[in-house]
Amino acid sequence: STALKMFRHVLDYQPNNGKFRFYMGVALESEERLQQALEEYRKVTEVDPGYGTRNPQVYINRGRLLSRLGYSRDGKEDLLKALELAPENPEALIAMGEADFRDQDYDASIKNFSKALTESPKRPIAQYQLGMSYIFQKQNREGARHLQLAIKYGNTNPEVYQTLGYLYKDLGRRPEARDAFETFIKETEGKGIKKIGRAHV
């Protein structure tokens, strides 16, 4: 809230300052004021077109937010612009993978997540999303491998263990399935999440 007040003050005097428009959008998005954030991201390239060219993160943030809000085509146009400016940018590739996943285009999401993680593998959320993309393509071994990498690199969502338990069970790896379910139970104890019992294994 303090940052927003400062940005508004600056923009009263410099309304065409793309940098402060962008950070205003970031601050609004962090407070889940998504439509207002989107409006600020749009203003960045309206008032200062060169700022987006110099800083592809503008297109990444805007494209990701558009996709999140259900404007898939517009979001992907922004993400493609970011990738034109920075073809190897892992944030742009991950954002495009997320948009593909929402569109249920799992082949494309696998391609984009995989490319991003080749250069920057220690991203637990992206590893998880890649794993889920493989699972939806019925490639359970690859799915399980990437869920394990998500855990290795710091996954904080206990439900990944439940998903792994079912995968291992389907793959005939019963001891690993049992361990995954037991870890899920331990991690969710007292948190109101439905438990999986040993009878399932």
Side-chain angles (χ1 to χ4, degrees):
S1 60
T2 302
L4 285 170
K5 289 177 184 177
M6 294 176 65
F7 293 143
R8 286 194 185 98
H9 179 72
V10 171
L11 290 170
D12 283 341
Y13 296 95
Q14 300 180 44
N16 295 333
N17 188 315
K19 178 179 179 180
F20 283 99
R21 288 279 176 200
F22 173 66
Y23 284 111
M24 172 75 95
V26 173
L28 287 165
E29 189 174 0
S30 72
E31 292 198 340
E32 291 295 309
R33 296 160 67 177
L34 303 184
Q35 290 292 346
Q36 291 174 274
L38 180 58
E39 185 60 28
E40 290 300 328
Y41 290 146
R42 282 175 168 155
K43 286 179 181 177
V44 172
T45 52
E46 290 174 6
V47 303
D48 188 0
Y51 185 79
T53 302
R54 297 188 302 273
N55 299 276
Q57 193 67 40
V58 173
Y59 293 106
I60 297 171
N61 282 34
R62 192 168 71 192
R64 177 177 265 145
L65 182 54
L66 282 163
S67 175
R68 183 180 172 188
L69 291 172
Y71 306 110
S72 176
R73 185 177 67 179
D74 292 343
K76 285 186 173 181
E77 285 179 3
D78 270 347
L79 294 172
L80 285 171
K81 178 67 174 177
L83 287 167
E84 288 173 8
L85 295 167
E88 304 300 320
N89 186 302
E91 287 296 331
L93 289 165
I94 289 170
M96 185 64 86
E98 292 168 350
D100 291 328
F101 189 89
R102 289 191 187 96
D103 289 345
Q104 299 181 13
D105 186 351
Y106 302 119
D107 284 335
S109 67
I110 288 169
K111 178 181 177 182
N112 284 304
F113 285 134
S114 296
K115 187 174 181 181
L117 291 167
T118 296
E119 296 298 324
S120 186
K122 296 181 180 181
R123 294 172 177 261
I125 294 175
Q127 290 285 3
Y128 173 79
Q129 291 170 318
L130 176 55
M132 294 305 297
S133 297
Y134 276 117
I135 291 166
F136 279 109
Q137 289 295 75
K138 301 188 185 304
Q139 299 182 50
N140 288 353
R141 290 185 186 279
E142 276 299 299
R145 186 171 76 85
H146 286 284
L147 295 189
Q148 284 285 13
L149 286 170
I151 292 169
K152 176 181 177 180
Y153 294 129
N155 165 78
T156 58
N157 181 358
E159 293 191 19
V160 70
Y161 294 103
Q162 183 181 34
T163 304
L164 269 173
Y166 283 120
L167 287 176
Y168 286 143
K169 182 181 176 185
D170 289 343
L171 292 168
R173 295 160 61 175
R174 299 177 74 83
E176 290 162 281
R178 185 178 298 108
D179 289 345
F181 284 134
E182 288 179 349
T183 301
F184 171 71
I185 291 168
K186 179 181 177 181
E187 293 289 322
T188 57
E189 196 69 43
K191 296 181 180 178
I193 298 175
K194 185 178 179 180
K195 302 294 190 292
I196 302 298
R198 296 174 69 94
H200 288 267
V201 190

